[in-house]
Amino acid sequence: MLGRLNHVAIAVPDLEAATAVYRDTLGAAVSDRQALPEHGVTVVFVDTGNSKIELLEPLGEASPIAAFLTKNPAGGVHHVCYEVDDILAARDRLADAGARVLGDGTPRIGAHGKPVLFLHPKDFMGTLVELEQK
Ligand code: CO
């Protein structure tokens, strides 16, 4: 069921500063900023060749990463995203196994224009897991 690692997401308090670290200090190729108001974040993708780093900055009042940044003011690893062939089949298999899918279980369109779901960190060793339809 589980496919390749699509990205590791890092929540940051200052997207410009974080982008500069990856672009200038680490010499990575970075994308333009992309505002995703329906997800409450602005994102920049860093190309690491075999995968991506997703830098996340809060957008709007009710950003889902605001509480995370209150607990981790310097930023930190927020979630990992794995690709799956069939997101609905993956959701049903996980639900049958007792894993909790966040929200109402209906996939939403993510930063890459593909359906995504999030899984409860308590069911995955303290790590928030995103699944993205391949
Ligand atoms: Co993500």
Side-chain angles (χ1 to χ4, degrees), residues 14 23 43 58 67 76 96 100 102-103 123 134:
D14 181 339
R23 183 188 56 223
V43 301
D96 286 348
R100 286 164 284 184
L102 299 188
D123 297 330
K134 207 190 282 181

Side-chain angles (χ1 to χ4, degrees), residues 7 9 54 79 130:
H7 61 266
E54 179 183 74
H79 65 265
E130 179 180 17

